[in-house]
Amino acid sequence: MPVGSDSPPIATRSAGTFSLAELVGDLGGELIGAADAVMTRIGPLDSADAQTLSFLAHPKYRRQLELTRAGCVILSPDAASGLEGRCGIVTPNPYLYFALATQWWARRIRPSHSAGIHPTAFIAPGALVAPSATVYAFSCVEAGAVIGDGAAVGPYAHVGEGARVGEGTRIGSHVTLGYGCTVGRFGLIHAGVVIGADGFGFAPTGGADSRWEKIEQLGAVRIGDHVEIGANTCIDRGALDDTVIEEGVKLDNLIQIGHNVHIGAHTAMAGCAGVAGSARIGAHCTVGGGAIVLGHLTVADHVHISAASVVMRSITKPGQYSGVFPLDDNVSWEKNAATLRQLHGLRSRLMAIEKKLN
Amino acid sequence: MPVGSDSPPIATRSAGTFSLAELVGDLGGELIGAADAVMTRIGPLDSADAQTLSFLAHPKYRRQLELTRAGCVILSPDAASGLEGRCGIVTPNPYLYFALATQWWARRIRPSHSAGIHPTAFIAPGALVAPSATVYAFSCVEAGAVIGDGAAVGPYAHVGEGARVGEGTRIGSHVTLGYGCTVGRFGLIHAGVVIGADGFGFAPTGGADSRWEKIEQLGAVRIGDHVEIGANTCIDRGALDDTVIEEGVKLDNLIQIGHNVHIGAHTAMAGCAGVAGSARIGAHCTVGGGAIVLGHLTVADHVHISAASVVMRSITKPGQYSGVFPLDDNVSWEKNAATLRQLHGLRSRLMAIEKKLN
Amino acid sequence: MPVGSDSPPIATRSAGTFSLAELVGDLGGELIGAADAVMTRIGPLDSADAQTLSFLAHPKYRRQLELTRAGCVILSPDAASGLEGRCGIVTPNPYLYFALATQWWARRIRPSHSAGIHPTAFIAPGALVAPSATVYAFSCVEAGAVIGDGAAVGPYAHVGEGARVGEGTRIGSHVTLGYGCTVGRFGLIHAGVVIGADGFGFAPTGGADSRWEKIEQLGAVRIGDHVEIGANTCIDRGALDDTVIEEGVKLDNLIQIGHNVHIGAHTAMAGCAGVAGSARIGAHCTVGGGAIVLGHLTVADHVHISAASVVMRSITKPGQYSGVFPLDDNVSWEKNAATLRQLHGLRSRLMAIEKKLN
């Protein structure tokens, strides 16, 4: 059994403390109260104690401020009067400050992994692994693949022939990065993600007894910088050209991205969403959980699709779009659903009455 | 190449026989007919033969009893008269008896795996593996992790730093159990499950060109005893506090559980369901396949959500809830769906007519 | 660290050229223009250059033919007049010809992997691997398993006890093929697929405090020849009898197939679809992305289910079926969805008016 130092690509938390002065010294903001107050944790207002740094995202939740026992609260200038003697960090965008504080805290409490290749890993001849990169237990980097500076390849990750992992990008456990596919810099690919499986492409042979003839998928997947991809999400390689995920895109877990899809920069999609082949989604969009975008459609920039909605036509104007059957008790639903199947007929009957009355 | 004894965590079936007397001796029930009748298989009524033990779940399926060739049928007292000379096991809850019989049978026909660590596995210094536990080929247990008595860690499973696997719990192949996450006793985690990937949390930097700033996910996942989790399901770690799955919960395949979700005891969810962040689902609920529960909602105990329905508001009363567009032939659907987009207007027109007529 | 030759089961593309004469010599079709014209790529009409072989799937896209710079276009006889001096390959079914051309091209440009077992793989005693098969890095073949002629077992694939992989079938990375399950010949199983996890079967113990008693899943999964299964898709083993996928079936990514489902030959299902337990889907069907088929239903041959639709009753007649809430801007959707919850009541009011007027 091989023995060696081993830590996960996403390193563990551990105990630690910080003073408010240290935090504000690094991240800015106006500190109200004792600079030497010591915090042990970042937490929500309702479960906070005197050593917890918390945050008030919106002034409308101000009521929570009265009730919390948090040692310090990050809040906006117009909520600062509610501190009433508590410590606070005043900043124009408390939620953003909170995000940066979690990053600052994580860097302090998580042990930094040391660069190097685990003795159980397999690096094929002709693969290029930067000396500052970390390759974890049982991972496999194939010929022609390149692992960039400071990147991490998680346990059981398979980096295919000629694939590229950019600087600082962390690849989780059991990830498949298919041959010839590329991931940009400072990305985070969670466990079980499959990048570069074949797109779903077949030509029918025709007739009543038609079979499916495979269309070999000759493209790859190209992923930009600062992209995060959630666990077990799949991004297929293109049929002829490449599938493209632009910079700053955030994908949640169990999402399906079909071949030749193009997702614009800084778009975010929640879990279980699916985008069918050749759809083109704009930049700065959001797609809710379980939503489906059909193939070959175009969705404009700044479009927001509600959870579980189905996009069946292209969307050319920014805005929020929805299409979900409202939940009801089962008996009411059955009645309304049955009537819905007659809806077009009801409309005709209504029109007949209108005609009669006019 | 390493060589060693190796059997899967979920062991294989093999040929075997049992007498009805043995079964009833262990599980109880009233045996009608020959106690020494030998069975080779448990099977459904319609494909049963004279060596098959079958079951009649409800007296309403009694017709099937007339047609079956099963050697013995598990049934309730009020259906027992339908046996007409066949062997039977009479019990108040035949379906539950059947479940217990499958467990009894599986214990007999599946080879028990022997405890120990496969030579290809990697156990990091500082990991604790109980001597009665089994660690399969190529699995990896990190520093500070604990594998309990009689537990099994499947091939390619990755047990992160400080994670804990309770007594008797079996972990399938390619499972990721993230650092600091815990699974209780007598659980079953199927292949490809990811527990403890980052929750989906980002703060927008603001403005038309807004980017997403990562909120580091500082919580973990805590899973109770007797929990079963289906293949490729994902349960994210909490943002600040933990994601919690209580005892006896059963999750099917390809389910997404967001960060800080709380699922109450003995709730069952079918495949492809999704629960968004911070939702709180009660105990003894059922959630149908493909259903979606939006974030930050509360669902009471004993609530049943139909398949493919979307929960958009909290549910405070027990009961069955549904919300699905009824399937129709495509032409009818197109007409009704188009009219649905005018529905609110139709209601106004109906009200105008009512006003005119009254 | 072990060192050895290693190439992925789905091999990489590389540079290459072909002449039209070579292609037509192998695949047939009527060549119009210079037989010695050399192509470097197969690509879509809109991004084609003078070395690109492209195709016109339908004469209705003929306009694209005028604009393309493709060196050669595959097209049907009635579109051939649009070539206007360009090279073309005339064939009755251009899309099918294109599919065969991608296969022909992929065979030329992708390096053939050499047979043999990677030094990091683990083959249990009693496993049978054909000498012409390829077993990749870190894969594991258990006792009693059989890997057929020319088959490939990808990195980290786990082939369980007694499982069988047919001739020429390629298994991707991180695949789990459960004990006793079988895959036919010339199949393609993509990364992360789980075949043979337990079906979701539990008997309630009864009462308000009901728990779930596991029904051991005693069946297996049987998959026919020429089946393709997309990344991270799950196919559960049967409860008592087997789950069956017939020949020529094509499943996309992230699909859930429940226990004892039967899918007929040459049926294709798009990503994120789900089929609940014991459903029986006919041959030559198509199921759109995100669609759900409830359990214990029967769907006839040649049925086509639209994306995101839910099949709640058996379908006995061929045809296209749909059931999706139409997408709308959020304000309109809210109004119409709220009114939908009163729909049955509106119908009654309409009927009352009709009665009054007649």
Side-chain angles (χ1 to χ4, degrees):
Chain A
M1 191 181 64
V3 172
S5 80
D6 193 286
S7 59
I10 304 150
T12 191
R13 60 183 169 178
S14 70
T17 63
F18 64 97
S19 74
L20 295 177
E22 288 176 288
L23 179 70
V24 173
D26 284 355
L27 298 186
E30 182 196 350
L31 177 59
I32 294 177
D36 59 352
V38 166
M39 302 289 128
T40 59
R41 176 174 176 263
I42 303 177
L45 285 168
D46 60 358
S47 68
D49 66 16
Q51 273 75 50
T52 302
L53 170 68
S54 196
F55 67 101
L56 186 74
H58 296 286
K60 67 176 170 179
Y61 299 130
R62 211 162 151 167
R63 192 74 178 275
Q64 292 184 277
L65 198 54
E66 296 169 27
L67 303 168
T68 187
R69 292 184 293 181
C72 178
V73 180
I74 306 164
L75 36 54
S76 60
D78 51 354
S81 62
L83 280 173
E84 292 178 11
R86 260 190 232 89
C87 289
I89 298 172
V90 180
T91 176
N93 189 339
Y95 195 54
L96 179 60
Y97 193 102
F98 155 67
L100 296 170
T102 62
Q103 296 176 18
W104 181 87
W105 181 227
R107 281 192 298 270
R108 286 170 66 109
I109 62 172
R110 292 184 182 156
S112 60
H113 51 253
S114 48
I117 296 170
H118 195 274
T120 60
F122 175 76
I123 311 294
L128 256 173
V129 178
S132 59
T134 309
V135 177
Y136 288 91
F138 297 113
S139 58
C140 176
V141 182
E142 302 283 6
V146 178
I147 310 297
D149 286 331
V153 179
Y156 313 105
H158 184 249
V159 179
E161 286 188 24
R164 281 160 182 271
V165 176
E167 177 190 350
T169 287
R170 292 176 291 156
I171 304 272
S173 57
H174 306 104
V175 167
T176 295
L177 180 61
Y179 61 92
C181 296
T182 58
V183 180
R185 299 173 306 151
F186 309 111
L188 179 52
I189 314 293
H190 286 285
V193 166
V194 179
I195 296 168
D198 280 355
F200 197 63
F202 302 91
T205 56
D209 194 39
S210 184
R211 291 169 296 103
W212 298 103
E213 200 65 67
K214 183 173 178 69
I215 298 165
E216 289 289 342
Q217 304 293 299
L218 302 169
V221 178
R222 277 182 291 134
I223 295 175
D225 295 342
H226 300 285
V227 169
E228 183 163 339
I229 302 178
N232 284 351
T233 280
C234 299
I235 304 175
D236 280 348
R237 65 174 62 244
L240 298 170
D241 293 330
D242 293 342
T243 303
V244 177
I245 311 292
E246 292 196 354
E247 63 164 341
V249 167
K250 311 296 178 186
L251 302 181
D252 198 355
N253 300 349
L254 289 166
I255 288 175
Q256 156 66 1
I257 305 292
H259 54 182
N260 299 105
V261 165
H262 187 116
I263 301 186
H266 309 296
T267 281
M269 299 181 55
C272 305
V275 182
S278 300
R280 198 176 172 92
I281 296 182
H284 300 287
C285 294
T286 58
V287 177
I292 299 272
V293 179
L294 299 195
H296 296 274
L297 303 182
T298 299
V299 173
D301 295 349
H302 295 285
V303 164
H304 306 286
I305 307 297
S306 298
S309 299
V310 182
V311 181
M312 286 177 281
R313 295 183 203 173
S314 291
I315 298 178
T316 56
K317 280 198 287 191
Q320 178 87 34
Y321 295 84
S322 305
V324 183
F325 201 107
L327 195 79
D328 214 335
D329 67 86
N330 194 59
V331 172
S332 300
W333 168 75
E334 278 197 348
K335 282 184 189 164
N336 291 321
T339 309
L340 178 52
R341 295 184 63 180
Q342 315 163 13
L343 183 60
H344 190 71
L346 293 179
R347 175 174 165 276
S348 301
R349 284 156 63 182
L350 181 68
M351 288 167 74
I353 294 170
E354 287 173 329
K355 201 171 170 186
K356 198 169 196 170
L357 292 177
N358 290 334
Chain B
M1 191 182 65
V3 171
S5 79
D6 193 288
S7 60
I10 303 151
T12 192
R13 61 183 166 175
S14 69
T17 64
F18 64 98
S19 75
L20 295 176
E22 288 176 289
L23 179 70
V24 172
D26 285 354
L27 298 186
E30 183 196 348
L31 178 58
I32 294 177
D36 59 350
V38 167
M39 301 289 128
T40 59
R41 176 175 176 263
I42 304 177
L45 286 167
D46 60 356
S47 67
D49 64 17
Q51 272 75 51
T52 303
L53 171 68
S54 196
F55 69 100
L56 185 73
H58 296 286
K60 67 176 170 181
Y61 299 130
R62 210 163 153 167
R63 192 73 178 275
Q64 293 186 277
L65 198 54
E66 296 168 27
L67 302 169
T68 188
R69 290 183 294 181
C72 179
V73 180
I74 305 164
L75 36 55
S76 60
D78 52 354
S81 64
L83 280 173
E84 292 179 11
R86 261 190 230 88
C87 289
I89 297 172
V90 179
T91 176
N93 189 338
Y95 195 54
L96 180 58
Y97 193 102
F98 155 67
L100 296 169
T102 62
Q103 295 177 17
W104 181 88
W105 181 227
R107 282 193 297 272
R108 286 170 66 109
I109 61 171
R110 291 184 182 157
S112 60
H113 51 253
S114 48
I117 295 170
H118 195 274
T120 59
F122 175 76
I123 311 294
L128 257 172
V129 178
S132 58
T134 309
V135 177
Y136 288 90
F138 298 112
S139 57
C140 176
V141 182
E142 302 283 6
V146 177
I147 310 298
D149 287 331
V153 179
Y156 313 105
H158 185 249
V159 179
E161 286 188 24
R164 281 160 182 270
V165 176
E167 177 191 351
T169 287
R170 291 175 291 156
I171 303 271
S173 56
H174 306 103
V175 167
T176 295
L177 180 60
Y179 62 93
C181 297
T182 57
V183 180
R185 298 173 307 151
F186 308 112
L188 180 51
I189 314 293
H190 286 284
V193 167
V194 179
I195 296 168
D198 280 356
F200 196 63
F202 303 89
T205 56
D209 195 39
S210 185
R211 291 169 298 103
W212 298 103
E213 200 64 67
K214 182 172 179 71
I215 297 165
E216 289 289 342
Q217 304 292 298
L218 303 168
V221 179
R222 278 183 289 134
I223 296 175
D225 296 342
H226 300 286
V227 169
E228 184 162 339
I229 301 178
N232 283 351
T233 280
C234 298
I235 304 176
D236 280 348
R237 64 175 62 245
L240 298 170
D241 295 328
D242 293 341
T243 303
V244 177
I245 311 292
E246 293 196 353
E247 63 164 342
V249 166
K250 311 296 178 188
L251 301 181
D252 198 357
N253 300 349
L254 290 167
I255 288 174
Q256 156 66 359
I257 305 291
H259 54 183
N260 300 105
V261 165
H262 187 116
I263 301 186
H266 309 297
T267 281
M269 299 180 57
C272 305
V275 183
S278 300
R280 198 178 170 90
I281 297 182
H284 300 288
C285 294
T286 58
V287 177
I292 299 272
V293 180
L294 299 196
H296 297 273
L297 302 182
T298 299
V299 173
D301 295 349
H302 294 285
V303 164
H304 306 285
I305 306 297
S306 299
S309 299
V310 183
V311 181
M312 285 177 283
R313 294 182 203 174
S314 291
I315 299 178
T316 57
K317 281 198 286 193
Q320 178 87 35
Y321 295 83
S322 305
V324 183
F325 201 106
L327 194 79
D328 214 336
D329 68 87
N330 193 60
V331 172
S332 300
W333 167 76
E334 279 197 347
K335 283 184 188 164
N336 290 320
T339 309
L340 178 52
R341 296 184 64 180
Q342 315 163 13
L343 183 60
H344 190 71
L346 293 179
R347 174 176 165 275
S348 303
R349 284 155 62 181
L350 182 67
M351 288 168 74
I353 294 170
E354 287 172 330
K355 202 172 170 186
K356 196 170 197 169
L357 292 178
N358 289 336
Chain C
M1 191 182 65
V3 171
S5 80
D6 194 287
S7 60
I10 305 150
T12 192
R13 62 185 167 174
S14 68
T17 63
F18 62 97
S19 74
L20 295 177
E22 288 176 287
L23 179 70
V24 172
D26 284 353
L27 298 187
E30 182 196 349
L31 177 59
I32 294 178
D36 59 350
V38 166
M39 302 288 127
T40 60
R41 176 175 176 263
I42 304 177
L45 286 168
D46 60 358
S47 68
D49 65 15
Q51 272 76 51
T52 302
L53 171 67
S54 196
F55 68 101
L56 185 73
H58 296 285
K60 68 176 168 179
Y61 299 130
R62 208 161 153 169
R63 192 75 177 277
Q64 293 185 277
L65 197 54
E66 295 168 27
L67 302 169
T68 187
R69 291 184 294 181
C72 178
V73 180
I74 306 164
L75 36 56
S76 59
D78 51 355
S81 64
L83 280 173
E84 292 178 11
R86 261 190 231 88
C87 289
I89 298 173
V90 180
T91 176
N93 189 338
Y95 194 55
L96 179 59
Y97 193 101
F98 156 67
L100 296 170
T102 62
Q103 296 176 18
W104 180 87
W105 180 228
R107 280 192 299 271
R108 287 170 66 110
I109 61 171
R110 290 183 183 158
S112 59
H113 51 254
S114 49
I117 296 169
H118 195 274
T120 60
F122 175 75
I123 312 294
L128 256 172
V129 178
S132 57
T134 308
V135 177
Y136 288 91
F138 298 112
S139 58
C140 175
V141 182
E142 302 283 5
V146 177
I147 309 298
D149 287 332
V153 179
Y156 311 105
H158 184 250
V159 179
E161 286 188 25
R164 280 160 182 271
V165 176
E167 177 190 351
T169 287
R170 292 176 291 157
I171 304 272
S173 57
H174 306 104
V175 167
T176 295
L177 180 61
Y179 62 92
C181 296
T182 57
V183 180
R185 298 173 306 152
F186 308 111
L188 180 51
I189 315 293
H190 285 284
V193 166
V194 179
I195 296 168
D198 280 356
F200 196 62
F202 302 90
T205 57
D209 196 37
S210 185
R211 292 170 296 104
W212 299 103
E213 200 65 67
K214 182 173 178 70
I215 297 165
E216 289 290 343
Q217 304 292 298
L218 303 169
V221 178
R222 278 183 289 134
I223 295 175
D225 296 342
H226 299 286
V227 169
E228 183 162 340
I229 301 177
N232 284 349
T233 281
C234 298
I235 305 176
D236 280 350
R237 64 174 63 244
L240 298 170
D241 294 328
D242 294 341
T243 303
V244 177
I245 310 293
E246 293 196 354
E247 63 164 340
V249 167
K250 310 297 178 187
L251 302 180
D252 197 356
N253 300 349
L254 289 166
I255 288 174
Q256 156 65 1
I257 305 291
H259 54 181
N260 299 106
V261 164
H262 187 116
I263 301 186
H266 309 296
T267 281
M269 299 179 57
C272 305
V275 182
S278 300
R280 197 178 171 90
I281 296 182
H284 300 287
C285 294
T286 58
V287 176
I292 299 272
V293 180
L294 299 195
H296 297 273
L297 302 183
T298 300
V299 172
D301 295 350
H302 294 285
V303 164
H304 306 285
I305 307 296
S306 299
S309 299
V310 182
V311 180
M312 287 177 281
R313 296 183 202 172
S314 291
I315 298 177
T316 56
K317 279 198 287 192
Q320 179 87 34
Y321 295 84
S322 305
V324 183
F325 201 107
L327 195 79
D328 213 336
D329 67 88
N330 193 60
V331 172
S332 300
W333 168 76
E334 279 197 347
K335 283 184 189 165
N336 290 321
T339 309
L340 178 52
R341 295 184 63 180
Q342 316 164 13
L343 184 59
H344 191 70
L346 293 180
R347 174 174 165 276
S348 302
R349 284 156 63 183
L350 182 67
M351 287 167 75
I353 294 170
E354 287 172 329
K355 203 173 170 185
K356 197 169 196 170
L357 292 179
N358 289 335

